[in-house]
Amino acid sequence: MINEKRMLDEFLQLTRISSPSGKERQLADCLRQKIRALGLPVNEDDAGKRVGGNAGNLVTALAPAGKKPQPLLLCAHMDTVEPARGIEPVLENGLVRSRGETVLGADDKAGIAIILEVLRVILENKIEHGGLEVIFTIWEEGGLLGAKNLDFSGVSARLGFVLDCDGPPGTIITRAPSQDRISARVKGRAAHAGINPEEGVNAIYVAACAISRMKLGRLDGETTANIGVIAGGKATNIVPDLVTIEGEARSLNRTKRENQTAAMCAALTRTAEEFGARVEIVTETLYHEFALPEDSKVVQLALTAARSLGLPARLTGSGGGSDANIFNAHGIACANLGIGMQKVHTTEEFIKTADLVNGARLILEIIRLAGEI
Ligand code: ZN
Ligand code: CA
């Protein structure tokens, strides 16, 4: 039923449309047209306006047909990471990659292509289903801003899938961590490095000491932490008075994440105190963790569909957040599915065409089985 050529052509077309985060307009217009051509309504919200982007989230729905209403949410994101200008996909040896100067953007246009093909197949073949709600989000990369600003009053599904993970079709992400961002300004005192250094408080030294007192990297099986950005100082003859630091803490366990963030803040505060510096810290929880039980409906649905197609089904966790974190926080039981994209966020990103097709078969099977499981 899946039209492999049509789907691949559409995927290639989507990858050629540049859509870095916040600049999804051209892709959104293309998708609006495609959705309308299917005879479906399409709604664009004002999330873009609120976050400084040029397009909003797109929402469309398919009314239940032949089955009792139990709408299923499907989501993929429109934006890609950079470098994303002038993407030219190359189809070769059963896989699609970029020419090497840009990402491919299979993350997440593979998800979009799968959803569009599945909608088409359902309508063409009048496949019975309990209703579908489709969301194409903006600005997933680096903030989940589209999903965070989505108007959830229009969403009635209580169960769904985000198509936005590496790993072959059959990979089912049932847990993902929460994340805190930590931004700090270490304030010392400036002085001439050669004339009166004893009057200065070296903010670089204080920051370095504080960081050396933090536990970073993989802290246990479910917790990680990182200092990713540090900046400060003006010249070698000035004792630096300001350093800015940005870091993060993640965990599948809420308490562990909170404790790790607190420990990183304490290292900064105590060290600053010790050296007579000051520190301003801002922490923000970017998203919350989720963990779907193996016997939950949403997990069983994906497992059963994968097995019925002979795809290797695998339940696993992710170290990163996705729109699924936001949906779960809004009470929609939502797993993230592997759709075969590989080496994402690099210029070597690629996807096998067979995985693209299997991703579509899997979603179609999930829709068929929904309501029966
Ligand atoms: Zn993605
Ligand atoms: Ca990504």
Side-chain angles (χ1 to χ4, degrees):
M1 274 189 208
I2 303 294
N3 184 330
E4 299 185 16
K5 176 161 190 324
R6 173 174 69 185
M7 187 182 172
L8 180 60
D9 285 346
E10 186 160 61
F11 171 66
L12 296 175
Q13 180 200 358
L14 296 176
T15 63
R16 286 190 187 99
I17 302 171
S18 181
S19 61
S21 306
K23 300 189 175 64
E24 301 92 349
R25 184 71 267 154
Q26 208 192 333
L27 181 63
D29 286 339
C30 168
L31 294 176
R32 289 173 67 118
Q33 235 172 38
K34 286 176 183 289
I35 295 165
R36 283 216 196 87
L38 290 170
L40 299 176
V42 57
N43 222 329
E44 181 171 339
D45 70 13
D46 67 349
K49 274 189 205 115
R50 280 193 266 158
V51 301
N54 65 5
N57 299 305
L58 299 183
V59 182
T60 182
L62 218 62
K67 279 193 182 175
K68 78 171 191 324
Q70 187 194 49
L72 196 68
L73 176 90
L74 296 175
C75 173
H77 64 87
M78 292 189 278
D79 64 312
T80 72
V81 295
E82 301 267 16
R85 320 282 161 155
I87 296 175
E88 193 44 55
V90 178
L91 172 62
E92 194 173 71
N93 302 326
L95 59 85
V96 184
R97 55 176 174 82
S98 80
R99 274 204 309 218
E101 299 91 33
T102 66
V103 296
L104 174 65
D107 176 7
D108 197 18
K109 284 161 185 172
I112 297 178
I114 288 170
I115 292 173
L116 288 174
E117 176 63 19
V118 165
L119 289 178
R120 233 171 248 131
V121 168
I122 288 173
L123 293 166
E124 282 171 356
N125 298 281
K126 303 195 165 54
I127 293 172
E128 297 189 341
H129 61 89
L132 291 174
E133 294 178 347
V134 171
I135 304 176
F136 294 133
T137 51
I138 58 164
W139 217 320
E140 188 272 347
E141 304 288 0
L144 315 178
L145 299 186
K148 280 184 180 179
N149 287 281
L150 181 76
D151 177 8
F152 278 87
S153 67
V155 181
S156 62
R158 282 289 150 259
L159 197 139
F161 298 92
V162 169
L163 284 64
D164 186 21
C165 197
D166 54 0
T171 308
I172 304 160
I173 304 294
T174 59
R175 29 182 225 286
S178 53
Q179 185 185 164
D180 281 352
R181 180 161 60 201
I182 300 151
S183 308
R185 291 161 61 83
V186 178
K187 292 177 160 178
R189 196 181 319 117
H192 193 292
I195 298 170
N196 59 341
E198 45 283 286
E199 285 173 31
V201 176
N202 189 319
I204 292 180
Y205 190 84
V206 175
C209 274
I211 293 168
S212 74
R213 291 169 179 176
M214 294 176 187
K215 282 189 199 146
L216 299 174
R218 185 171 298 286
L219 305 177
D220 60 42
E222 48 189 12
T223 313
T224 60
N226 189 44
I227 295 291
V229 179
I230 180 162
K234 292 193 185 89
T236 63
N237 63 353
I238 305 172
V239 176
D241 64 349
L242 179 65
V243 167
T244 57
I245 298 171
E246 280 170 58
E248 60 162 59
R250 305 182 191 219
S251 184
L252 296 168
N253 179 303
R254 181 170 298 211
T255 310
K256 285 182 179 176
R257 186 249 308 154
E258 286 169 352
N259 289 345
Q260 174 59 20
T261 298
M264 291 167 81
C265 293
L268 285 160
T269 316
R270 287 205 201 106
T271 311
E273 221 167 81
E274 194 179 314
F275 289 96
R278 284 182 301 134
V279 62
E280 291 167 1
I281 308 172
V282 178
T283 65
E284 187 191 356
T285 299
L286 298 183
Y287 48 82
H288 290 284
E289 68 285 343
F290 71 88
L292 301 163
E294 182 166 351
D295 62 358
S296 64
K297 217 172 184 178
V298 63
V299 175
Q300 284 303 311
L301 185 52
L303 269 179
T304 311
R307 285 180 185 141
S308 90
L309 294 175
L311 296 170
R314 193 170 72 97
L315 301 184
T316 183
S318 167
S322 71
D323 287 343
N325 289 63
I326 306 298
F327 294 133
N328 278 292
H330 278 86
I332 304 167
C334 195
N336 193 357
L337 298 179
I339 53 173
M341 52 194 182
Q342 301 194 43
K343 293 197 175 182
V344 297
H345 296 203
T346 80
T347 54
E348 291 165 60
E349 184 187 7
F350 70 94
I351 187 167
K352 292 180 185 163
T353 56
D355 280 342
L356 200 58
V357 173
N358 278 335
R361 292 172 61 219
L362 178 63
I363 297 300
L364 195 56
E365 189 66 12
I366 285 174
I367 293 168
R368 275 206 195 114
L369 290 173
E372 286 165 31
I373 288 186

